[in-house]
Amino acid sequence: MSRIAITSHSNAGVTLVPDLFIDAWMPQANGEFVKIYLYLLRCTHLPDQELSLSSLADVFSCTENDILRALRYWEKSGLLRLSAEGASLTGIEILPCGSQRQDLDEDFSKSSPVPVKKEEPPASPPRLSAGRVRQLQEDNEEVRQLLFLAEQYLGRTLSSTDANRILYFYDGLHFPMDLIEYLIEYCVSRGSTSLHYIEKVGLEWHKDGVSSVSEAKARTSVWNKNYFSILKAFGIRGRNPVSGEVECMKRWLEEYGFSMELIQEACARTVSQTGQPSFQYAEGILGAWKRQKVCTLEDVKRLDQQHRSSQKSFSAGRVRKPQTANRFNNFHQREYDYSQLEKQLLEKQLNE
């Protein structure tokens, strides 16, 4: 396990997080990647600390590969420079945000033998120019009203980046004002005030051709009906699905193309086997059904019957081996008359 030297260009004693990092990089990055980057900033003021991939993995209760993926992501984003000797990572240099590094080394995956799977940064939609955003805010009363309503829904003052992301739906994707308002209202009603989440939902609507509030409501109605029916099949009530659960359910419905009755059957079997709701266990069932080309409940019954038949054939084919005698009982058992033996012993003692 090699020790990693970490260097920075900031002053010791204060962990500085540039506004540019918060505005431009943090909203797009994986939350775990952000935590690791912030911890690296803190480590620049701890020169005596033994820093290694193993120690970082211990801090975040993850694997060393998870740490490497995060480091690789931030190097690709231009915020870190990594160095290695042999197969070991030996150095992390934290670079100033916004610096245009013309002297960047070639891509780390080409120059370093550290076995890291290449991690591409998530694609982000185009942004409006600062001048266009300023023009929209100055010339359009509807735009000012939209941003005011967004601040009321989100409960905070919008940054310039926030305003840009919202106005991109208006000026870039040509969403009607009332559709943008409904988009924000809908996401907040589901418990999220993240612009990243709002942007993700809005882009999905655009991809699906949603262009009016009525179409959006119809889409979300189907979403709510299907997803909450699955939660109910698991016995989950009184809450919205979390992102990981949504990904599973979306895969079951869209990628696998399963009907609700098949998904509900998998949920029922999951609870019956594990005693609790488990999306991972249900994924195992549905993934197997997908590979076996299951389309209906009749197909499931057929597979169950095949399984029972194979179990019976296996049991019938087993031959019970006769019990083998061992050295302790492989002889004829003797029988004794203990009353007669006692009588003979007494007579012997009297005659002596």
Side-chain angles (χ1 to χ4, degrees):
M1 179 181 69
S2 62
R3 181 177 179 180
I4 301 172
I6 183 167
T7 57
S8 174
H9 300 274
S10 64
N11 295 326
V14 177
T15 301
L16 299 176
V17 182
D19 291 341
L20 185 57
F21 171 79
I22 297 174
D23 291 340
W25 278 279
M26 189 175 72
Q28 304 296 330
N30 178 292
E32 295 301 315
F33 291 0
V34 172
K35 291 196 293 185
I36 290 170
Y37 178 80
L38 295 178
Y39 186 75
L40 291 177
L41 292 179
R42 174 70 181 98
C43 287
T44 60
H45 307 146
L46 299 172
D48 297 330
Q49 181 177 0
E50 292 287 338
L51 190 65
S52 65
L53 290 177
S54 177
S55 66
L56 288 171
D58 288 341
V59 170
F60 293 99
S61 299
C62 63
T63 68
E64 293 184 15
N65 280 337
D66 292 331
I67 299 296
L68 283 170
R69 277 191 288 272
L71 298 178
R72 181 66 186 82
Y73 172 84
W74 290 120
E75 192 205 25
K76 186 71 176 181
S77 300
L79 299 185
L80 299 181
R81 178 185 285 129
L82 307 179
S83 57
E85 290 183 4
S88 300
L89 180 66
T90 58
I92 301 172
E93 181 182 1
I94 299 177
L95 301 168
C97 289
S99 63
Q100 301 298 320
R101 297 187 297 155
Q102 300 298 328
D103 60 339
L104 260 178
D105 299 332
E106 291 186 359
D107 187 80
F108 186 59
S109 62
K110 299 178 182 178
S111 62
S112 171
V114 179
V116 186
K117 183 179 179 181
K118 189 174 182 180
E119 186 84 17
E120 295 293 341
S124 59
R127 296 278 183 255
L128 304 178
S129 67
R132 180 56 178 163
V133 172
R134 184 166 55 253
Q135 180 184 5
L136 288 171
Q137 291 177 298
E138 292 175 352
D139 300 342
N140 195 317
E141 176 62 29
E142 282 190 322
V143 166
R144 292 195 293 272
Q145 183 67 18
L146 172 65
L147 297 179
F148 173 77
L149 288 174
E151 290 182 337
Q152 302 309 303
Y153 276 120
L154 302 178
R156 65 176 185 271
T157 301
L158 298 178
S159 68
S160 59
T161 303
D162 293 338
N164 197 319
R165 296 169 87 165
I166 292 173
L167 293 181
Y168 175 73
F169 287 108
Y170 173 74
D171 198 58
L173 300 182
H174 307 294
F175 273 27
M177 283 291 185
D178 60 345
L179 180 57
I180 302 174
E181 291 178 19
Y182 177 71
L183 169 63
I184 299 171
E185 177 187 357
Y186 168 73
C187 293
V188 171
S189 70
R190 294 192 59 214
S192 178
T193 59
S194 164
L195 259 298
H196 178 67
Y197 177 78
I198 293 171
E199 189 174 62
K200 181 178 179 181
V201 173
L203 292 175
E204 288 180 355
W205 288 5
H206 177 69
K207 180 181 177 181
D208 293 342
V210 173
S211 59
S212 67
V213 173
S214 59
E215 291 175 350
K217 287 184 176 180
R219 185 185 187 281
T220 55
S221 176
V222 172
W223 184 94
N224 286 331
K225 179 181 178 182
N226 289 338
Y227 287 7
F228 283 101
S229 293
I230 296 173
L231 290 182
K232 184 178 179 181
F234 272 127
I236 300 173
R237 291 179 174 82
R239 69 167 176 83
N240 291 323
V242 298
S243 59
E245 296 170 346
V246 170
E247 290 177 6
C248 284
M249 293 186 287
K250 185 175 182 180
R251 180 166 56 252
W252 301 341
L253 290 165
E254 298 179 12
E255 181 181 335
Y256 294 174
F258 284 142
S259 64
M260 283 300 301
E261 61 179 3
L262 275 176
I263 297 174
Q264 289 171 333
E265 175 66 19
C267 295
R269 293 183 179 217
T270 296
V271 175
S272 175
Q273 290 294 321
T274 66
Q276 60 185 355
S278 171
F279 280 79
Q280 184 178 6
Y281 194 93
E283 171 64 30
I285 295 174
L286 292 168
W289 287 355
K290 178 65 175 179
R291 292 189 295 273
Q292 294 165 324
K293 303 185 184 305
V294 168
C295 297
T296 65
L297 285 178
E298 290 301 318
D299 293 336
V300 174
K301 293 178 181 178
R302 174 177 51 80
L303 289 176
D304 289 344
Q305 181 60 43
Q306 290 176 356
H307 179 70
R308 286 193 292 268
S309 297
S310 64
Q311 289 292 100
K312 289 180 181 179
S313 298
F314 177 76
S315 299
R318 296 179 63 185
V319 179
R320 184 177 180 84
K321 298 173 68 175
Q323 184 175 357
T324 303
N326 58 38
R327 65 188 180 90
F328 295 105
N329 59 17
N330 191 22
F331 58 86
H332 178 70
Q333 299 289 334
R334 297 180 180 179
E335 297 181 355
Y336 295 96
D337 186 343
Y338 288 99
S339 298
Q340 182 63 30
L341 288 174
E342 184 179 5
K343 182 178 179 181
Q344 291 176 359
L345 179 60
L346 288 173
E347 288 178 353
K348 182 179 179 181
Q349 290 176 345
L350 289 174
N351 293 330
E352 289 179 351

